[in-house]
Amino acid sequence: NATTAYVRQHLADASPRHPELDVEDVRVGAGVGTVVPLHAHAQWKYLLHLPGISYAARLKYLLHTRSVVLYVRKRPEYEYREFWYDYLDQHPQACVVVADTNRYHPVTGKRQKDPRTGKWDDRANHRIVRDIVRAVRTLEADAAAYARHVQANTAWRREFGYATVLGYWAALLRRYGGVVG
């Protein structure tokens, strides 16, 4: 899973200019920023999920709040996907997907410089900020749209329950049950 620390830093740097963003640079162990425990995330109306070096598996927990989750999603070739992401894809309004179009090295997962110029290209990060701000402004202006996202999130949680997880494990065991390591 590629690091997205530079996206986090870009969002934190843009936060003072955009009241819709409340993003802080947090570096666990380095004494930078405040780590928010998972249970405390439910207090916010909007939650931001960035995959990468962080608690990347927290998306499923964020989706269990009554908040709108803004999910910065990398292109499929760079994204680590958990088995339940397919269920999430079947409920497109369960979260707001914001495209991360940065270039990553396919093996190391590190962000790559623009091959034409040899420089860092922050256009993708600017788009991420713009898309997040636009989504929040749109949802703030349309209470019905906000409610639809919360309802879709609730529907996804109902469908993706314990029975779905057990069904996934049963399918894995049937598929790989005869494989000896």
Side-chain angles (χ1 to χ4, degrees):
N1 202 13
T3 179
T4 53
Y6 55 87
V7 176
R8 289 174 201 285
Q9 185 62 55
H10 193 84
L11 287 163
D13 291 346
S15 192
R17 295 185 307 278
H18 299 283
E20 299 83 4
L21 295 176
D22 181 10
V23 179
E24 183 180 342
D25 184 23
V26 176
R27 289 183 226 145
V28 177
V32 176
T34 305
V35 176
V36 178
L38 271 176
H39 65 84
H41 283 73
Q43 68 183 312
W44 286 289
K45 192 173 181 180
Y46 301 97
L47 297 170
L48 181 62
H49 175 72
L50 293 166
I53 297 176
S54 70
Y55 182 35
R58 76 188 191 126
L59 179 57
K60 61 183 154 279
Y61 300 114
L62 298 182
L63 290 168
H64 277 81
T65 66
R66 292 196 49 84
S67 305
V68 171
V69 177
L70 298 132
Y71 169 25
V72 178
R73 181 182 263 179
K74 294 188 235 178
R75 292 188 300 227
E77 64 268 26
Y78 302 130
E79 183 181 53
Y80 172 78
R81 290 176 59 92
E82 295 184 60
F83 78 92
W84 56 270
Y85 280 39
D86 291 336
Y87 294 97
L88 183 59
D89 290 343
Q90 294 168 17
H91 296 274
Q93 279 202 318
C95 63
V96 176
V97 175
V98 176
D100 175 357
T101 58
N102 282 293
R103 298 173 189 268
Y104 298 94
H105 187 277
V107 176
T108 65
K110 292 184 179 176
R111 181 176 174 218
Q112 292 183 296
K113 293 182 178 181
D114 187 309
R116 294 166 297 184
T117 65
K119 297 180 180 178
W120 294 113
D121 181 0
D122 271 333
R123 287 179 293 184
N125 295 331
H126 293 303
R127 275 192 298 276
I128 290 168
V129 169
R130 182 199 67 212
D131 292 349
I132 290 171
V133 168
R134 185 181 295 153
V136 170
R137 285 179 182 166
T138 299
L139 292 169
E140 282 297 295
D142 187 349
Y146 180 86
R148 282 192 299 274
H149 276 283
V150 171
Q151 287 301 91
N153 189 330
T154 302
W156 175 80
R157 283 196 312 271
R158 265 190 237 116
E159 182 176 315
F160 183 74
Y162 188 65
T164 304
V165 174
L166 288 179
Y168 170 76
W169 278 103
L172 277 181
L173 290 172
R174 281 192 298 276
R175 183 172 181 183
Y176 298 108
V179 176
V180 178

